[in-house]
Amino acid sequence: MTKPTCVYFIGSGPGDPELITLKGKRLLEEADVVVYAGSLVKEKTLKHCRRGIEIHNSASMTLDEIMKVIVNAAKRGEKVVRLHSGDPTIYSALKEQTGILEEESIPYKIVPGISSALASAAALKEELTMPEISQTVIFTRIEGKTPVPKSERLSELSKHQATMCIFLSIRLIEKVVAELKEGYPEDTPAAVVYKATWDDEKIIRGSLKDIVRKVKEAKIKRQAMIIVGKTLSSDITHHASRLYARNFEHGYRNKKG
Ligand code: SAH
């Protein structure tokens, strides 16, 4: 019997095919079978694959169907790549897939990717952490069909007033903002990035006061990241990090002047 090959779960990044890692690209080039998350993985990313290989779009498949393709191919000794959007460890239903591979004694590895939260911050040209403003980033979502533990409700998390990246929630933007207002002041900056790094990327900036209206006007209903927090305001450059300050000493540099 052929020994099953190692299955690779790869983060394809936020969309731009150049934002996959070198390792992810190499594995795609070598793959015999690719199953990709078609709703958010850009088809252009598949141009890294060899011609004529077996490619499946998981958007229209059930977990059983996806795993049948992956397990059978690995058992045949073929190189299988499961391509997720962003990073595969964030909202990717990873464990339900790896759990089945473990039951089948099929080895697997995970190759990280650039999460859309980070690509959205880059699109906004913003820094998520700033001294004295916020040193914490929360990745979260609002409760929808998927339940969220009570202690992690947006209304609870907002009490920290940390920077927050909210996935999978744009459809419920009104509810999101209502909950956020329980902890953040109303003038807290808020931004929405639709399809970060795609050709039709859109950026909306505002505050908790007006972001709902702006999102509705732009008719954004999916594939968007909501980022909230004081680090997004433009008037805080005087809080610049001390890391590069002349009088700040650290392990790699002595104080200057
Ligand atoms: N694993 C992915 C997240 C998958 S969940 C990651 O690390 O990015 C899907 C959610 O991610 C979407 O509802 C949206 O909130 C966000 N998302 C994915 N790609 C995006 C993009 N290019 N721009 C903005 N948000 C994106």
Side-chain angles (χ1 to χ4, degrees), residues 33 53 59 75 120 128 134 138-139 145-146 149 153 155 170 180 217 244 250:
V33 178
I53 66 157
K75 285 186 175 169
S120 297
L128 298 177
S134 178
I138 299 174
F139 285 1
K145 276 183 231 147
T146 309
R153 296 270 157 83
S155 50
I170 196 70
L180 293 177
E217 277 170 10
Y244 299 106
H250 57 67

Side-chain angles (χ1 to χ4, degrees), residues 14 40 85-87 90-92 115-116 120 167-168 193-196 198 223-225:
L40 280 166
S85 71
D87 181 87
I90 303 172
Y91 304 119
S92 296
S115 174
S116 56
S120 297
F167 293 72
L168 296 159
V193 183
Y194 168 73
K195 291 177 93 176
W198 292 59
Q223 294 167 318
M225 180 66 50

Side-chain angles (χ1 to χ4, degrees), residues 116-137:
S116 56
L118 305 178
S120 297
L124 291 166
K125 302 193 173 117
E126 294 287 1
E127 187 170 5
L128 298 177
T129 57
M130 294 191 86
E132 292 169 63
I133 306 285
S134 178
Q135 292 287 288
T136 305
V137 184

